[in-house]
Amino acid sequence: MIHCGKKRICAVATCILIFATALICSWKDPQLQNNITRKIFPQAATASPAGQLCRGKPAQDAITPLTDNRTFIVSAYFDNREGKVTRVIGIVHHEDVKELFCWFCCQPNGKTYVSKATIDVHSDRFGFPYGAADIVCSEPENCDPTHVSIHQSPLGNIDQLPSFEIKNRKAEPFPVDFTVCISAMFGHYNNVLQFVQSMEMYKILGVQKVVIYKNNCSHLMEKVLRLYMEEGTVEIIPWPINSHLRVSSKWHFSMDGKDIGYYGQITALNDCLYRNMQRSKFVILNDADEIILPLKHPDWKTMMSSLQEQNPGTAVFLFENHIFPESISTPMFNISSWNTVPGVNILNHVHREPDRKDVFNPKKMIVDPRKVIQTSVHSVLHAYGNSVNVPMDVALVYHCREPLQANLPRESLIRDTTLWRYNSSLIMNVNKVLYQTVL
């Protein structure tokens, strides 16, 4: 017990004792010190314990749920086009998620910086409660963070938060000219022949990389994908979205009242765009049964060179989608060995449906990814440059699928044999793949 002769001496001694106790506690529990600091200065940088730089658990999965089960993180990307920010691609509930915070870890001092996020849910949810979202956070000054964590609060223990690598930190020369983004492969996809034909057409036209967001496919399809992965053409992004949300195979909520439409296709496309922003000159956004087919040029490189020359500064080139119904066949290339392979032989389908009056003709895109901020399926939502509709006599989207105008007689269809210009190379290349995998 402390005995004080005078009240003033007693008060000073008590203050010293309280200060010493607080100092010891904060030394023993630096996380408590950090939390107190954040309560007073929620935007402040706070020191991590020595030897524990950039704590948190590295995210292992393509889709990572937060503890609220209303927010799902895909990837984080550095974006310095409008200031120094980290743009996190994710999926959120458009009403329930009100507030999120980015927790940056600064190197080399290991300080944690907490920044409130701007949550930008993309406008094209098509009525579904969950939609693609950009979770955007300003980065701290004098810090080039390599990882970020997302949390519902500026407080807490960073050790328990998943940590995401911030990609695109370094700008490098483009290793490829064309990357195709395909999302999402689902429904135990087994259209093997058409997939191989599309892949080989992409390669003939100039693609070097195809990124596929794969939910599931058949065993036979897995063998084909493995071959393309081994040769370096295909990159597979696992896409187990149905493990987290009730997914629809329809594009609008009115058709199927689930959590999110078309297996989260729009989120996958935006992730693919940013994933390839620093490694591909152009990104092509289309499905596996679609081919942007040049009519005036032999390949995409010469076509895009001409289009850019005519349209300087353009960010997005839109190509009209045209249906070549698989129900109408012209068996010019009826190759017997292909008959055992599941799927459609596109070489036998060279009649396209005419445009329908007063019906929107959807388009697919070739974009400069460095000029696009947000994309949808048939157009971009935000970009730094213009969008240009490419005339149909320059190129069109060859889309071989079930008909949209099934009642049209054959003579009402338009014969278009542009695809046959490539038949010799295509048949040889497809045979090579099939004999290594399926036949």
Side-chain angles (χ1 to χ4, degrees), residues 77-328:
Y77 299 95
F78 178 62
D79 188 351
N80 63 351
R81 295 173 297 178
E82 291 182 6
K84 189 183 172 190
V85 303
T86 290
R87 186 181 300 269
V88 180
I89 306 297
I91 299 169
V92 304
H93 191 287
H94 78 287
E95 288 182 336
D96 293 353
V97 180
K98 306 290 188 187
E99 205 172 51
L100 291 171
F101 295 85
C102 290
W103 291 43
F104 293 105
C105 188
C106 295
Q107 294 280 28
N109 58 16
K111 285 189 176 180
T112 301
Y113 177 95
V114 183
S115 172
K116 187 173 181 179
T118 299
I119 305 170
D120 187 359
V121 182
H122 294 203
S123 57
D124 54 351
R125 288 183 299 104
F126 302 114
F128 290 97
Y130 284 85
D134 292 354
I135 301 162
V136 183
C137 284
S138 297
E139 293 187 357
E141 298 208 3
N142 303 317
C143 170
D144 292 319
T146 59
H147 292 73
V148 66
S149 296
I150 307 297
H151 195 35
Q152 296 90 357
S153 168
L155 312 176
N157 184 355
I158 195 171
D159 293 348
Q160 303 306 313
L161 298 181
S163 175
F164 301 90
E165 179 188 357
I166 303 172
K167 302 181 178 74
N168 293 352
R169 179 64 66 185
K170 292 181 180 179
E172 299 175 0
F174 308 128
V176 303
D177 288 327
F178 294 97
T179 296
V180 170
C181 294
I182 295 176
S183 61
M185 184 177 282
F186 63 89
H188 298 286
Y189 184 88
N190 194 40
N191 192 351
V192 175
L193 181 56
Q194 185 171 359
F195 177 84
V196 173
Q197 289 175 327
S198 293
M199 287 290 299
E200 295 308 315
M201 275 301 300
Y202 296 156
K203 288 158 72 174
I204 289 169
L205 293 170
V207 82
Q208 291 105 329
K209 181 70 73 175
V210 179
V211 182
I212 300 172
Y213 289 72
K214 181 174 75 73
N215 182 265
N216 59 53
C217 63
S218 71
H219 177 68
L220 205 57
M221 193 68 225
E222 290 280 8
K223 290 178 67 176
V224 171
L225 290 176
R226 196 174 306 120
L227 174 72
Y228 281 120
M229 290 168 65
E230 288 171 357
E231 76 173 24
T233 304
V234 162
E235 177 183 357
I236 296 293
I237 310 298
W239 197 245
I241 189 169
N242 50 324
S243 299
H244 306 289
L245 294 168
R246 296 178 306 130
V247 296
S248 173
S249 60
K250 307 294 184 182
W251 70 274
H252 200 279
F253 183 76
S254 62
M255 301 174 178
D256 187 19
K258 300 288 177 52
D259 291 329
I260 194 165
Y262 217 71
Y263 279 71
Q265 177 189 35
I266 293 172
T267 308
L269 287 175
N270 279 273
D271 180 69
C272 195
L273 184 82
Y274 279 88
R275 186 178 293 267
N276 293 284
M277 192 166 280
Q278 300 294 349
R279 63 185 192 184
S280 188
K281 186 175 181 181
F282 295 105
V283 167
I284 299 163
L285 305 171
N286 63 221
D287 295 330
D289 58 358
E290 296 171 330
I291 302 164
I292 294 178
L293 199 57
L295 277 72
K296 282 189 173 179
H297 307 89
D299 53 38
W300 288 336
K301 189 167 187 175
T302 53
M303 178 184 72
M304 292 308 299
S305 176
S306 173
L307 287 172
Q308 284 191 305
E309 188 178 338
Q310 297 168 36
N311 305 277
T314 297
V316 181
F317 296 89
L318 297 152
F319 300 82
E320 281 190 15
N321 183 68
H322 288 275
I323 305 299
F324 287 72
E326 59 188 46
S327 58
I328 304 296

Side-chain angles (χ1 to χ4, degrees), residues 192-193 196 219-221 223-224 227 337-338 340-342 430-439:
V192 175
L193 181 56
V196 173
H219 177 68
L220 205 57
M221 193 68 225
K223 290 178 67 176
V224 171
L227 174 72
S337 61
W338 293 2
T340 61
V341 182
V430 168
N431 276 332
K432 184 178 177 182
V433 173
L434 294 180
Y435 280 115
Q436 290 182 76
T437 55
V438 178
L439 298 177

